[in-house]
Amino acid sequence: MLRLIDQTLGKWLRHVFFAIVRTYFALFYNVSCSGKHLLQDTPGALILATHVSRFDGPLIAAILYTTQRIRPVVHYNEYYNWIQWFPMFVARAIPVSSPKTWTPERRQAQKEASMQRILRALEREESVLLFPAGHTRQQEPEVIAPHLSGAYDILQTNPDRPVLLLRLDGLGKFQPARYDYFWTFLGIRKGRRHISVDIKTVCALDPSTDLAAFNNTLEAMLNTPIRDAF
C-alpha cells in the first residue's frame, strides 16, 4: 500500500515541492551543475556529497529531481523533526542513527533496518544520497569522524555498487560568496549567489581496507577543489 501511495499521491506531492524549491533557488541562487549526465547513466548509484550548509539537501533534490529518483539519507532527529517530517516522508528519505537514550540492542536493530532500506532502494535502481561527514561543516575542510561508517558499510555489503562524488562550492559558510547582478533592476547590488555542483565517478574507494583508511581516502576526495580533477 505504501508503495502505491508513493507512486501516485507521493509523485504529485514531489512535483509540487520540486516546483516550489526549484523556484526559490532560481530566484536567489545562480546554480551550475557539471556531470549531471553521469547520474542519468548510473541508476542505483551511491552518491557521496559534501555537507556545507543546511540547504544542501533541498538544493541537491531540486537540481537532480528530473534526472533520477534520489533517496536521501538523513539523521533520525532530522527525519522526525515535526517541521521536516512531512517533506522527508514524501521524499522517501531514509532515517539513520538513533537516540542515544535507546538501549544498545534497540539501536543496533534500528541500524540494521536502515541498512536494509538503503540496500533495497539501491537494488530498485534508486540512487541514495549520503553525507559521509554526517553534519554541516563546522570548519573549512570536510571532516569525517572516525566512527562514521555509513558509506563503508554499504560498500562492504555491495562492493560493486557504482559510486558518485558530489561536491558543492559557493553555498557554505566557509566558502567564497560571489553574486551575479540579477536584482540590480530593483536597486539591489548583490544578486543571486553563485553555486557550483560537481559530480564525478569514483573508482578509488576500497571497502576491503580498514575504516580509518577508507574515511581518509573519502575525506581527501571531498576536499579536492572542484576545479581540480582526480
Side-chain angles (χ1 to χ4, degrees):
M1 178 60 72
L2 183 60
R3 181 69 59 81
L4 177 63
I5 294 173
D6 177 65
Q7 294 175 351
T8 53
L9 180 60
K11 181 179 290 187
W12 280 97
L13 287 172
R14 283 192 294 275
H15 273 69
V16 172
F17 287 152
F18 161 73
I20 294 171
V21 176
R22 190 63 177 266
T23 300
Y24 170 81
F25 281 108
L27 288 174
F28 299 105
Y29 297 90
N30 186 353
V31 184
S32 64
C33 182
S34 65
K36 199 173 182 180
H37 65 284
L38 297 174
L39 177 62
Q40 196 161 18
D41 297 337
T42 315
L46 175 62
I47 305 170
L48 304 177
T50 55
H51 204 353
V52 300
S53 82
R54 68 181 187 277
F55 295 114
D56 295 349
L59 172 65
I60 294 171
I63 294 300
L64 302 182
Y65 176 77
T66 56
T67 307
Q68 194 182 119
R69 179 72 187 273
I70 306 293
R71 298 285 300 278
V73 174
V74 298
H75 192 276
Y76 183 92
N77 293 335
E78 294 289 327
Y79 183 89
Y80 287 105
N81 182 297
W82 69 273
I83 297 176
Q84 301 179 158
W85 176 83
F86 185 65
M88 292 280 192
F89 177 76
V90 171
R92 302 293 289 135
I94 302 173
V96 295
S97 192
S98 56
K100 294 182 179 180
T101 55
W102 287 9
T103 63
E105 294 78 13
R106 188 180 178 188
R107 298 195 71 187
Q108 181 61 30
Q110 172 68 19
K111 181 178 180 179
E112 293 174 359
S114 297
M115 179 60 66
Q116 288 304 311
R117 292 184 64 186
I118 291 171
L119 295 176
R120 286 197 298 270
L122 292 171
E123 289 170 1
R124 290 194 296 269
E125 297 191 340
E126 298 171 346
S127 291
V128 170
L129 172 66
L130 177 70
F131 297 103
H135 56 75
T136 57
R137 288 186 188 178
Q138 306 301 315
Q139 63 288 313
E140 187 171 349
E142 195 87 3
V143 176
I144 303 176
H147 68 280
L148 294 178
S149 62
Y152 183 73
D153 292 340
I154 293 169
L155 292 177
Q156 273 205 320
T157 305
N158 197 338
D160 296 326
R161 178 62 50 188
V163 180
L164 298 176
L165 194 76
L166 187 152
R167 289 170 296 170
L168 287 162
D169 186 48
L171 183 62
K173 174 182 177 182
F174 299 97
Q175 296 179 327
R178 301 182 181 90
Y179 299 86
D180 65 13
Y181 301 105
F182 184 81
W183 294 107
T184 53
F185 70 95
L186 293 178
I188 300 174
R189 186 174 181 181
K190 285 185 178 181
R192 301 172 302 175
R193 183 169 176 172
H194 290 289
I195 301 172
S196 296
V197 180
D198 179 67
I199 302 173
K200 291 186 180 296
T201 302
V202 174
C203 301
L205 284 175
D206 184 3
S208 65
T209 62
D210 61 69
L211 176 60
F214 180 91
N215 279 348
N216 287 338
T217 301
L218 177 56
E219 190 176 283
M221 290 180 175
L222 293 172
N223 285 308
T224 302
I226 285 180
R227 63 181 178 275
D228 296 336
F230 61 84

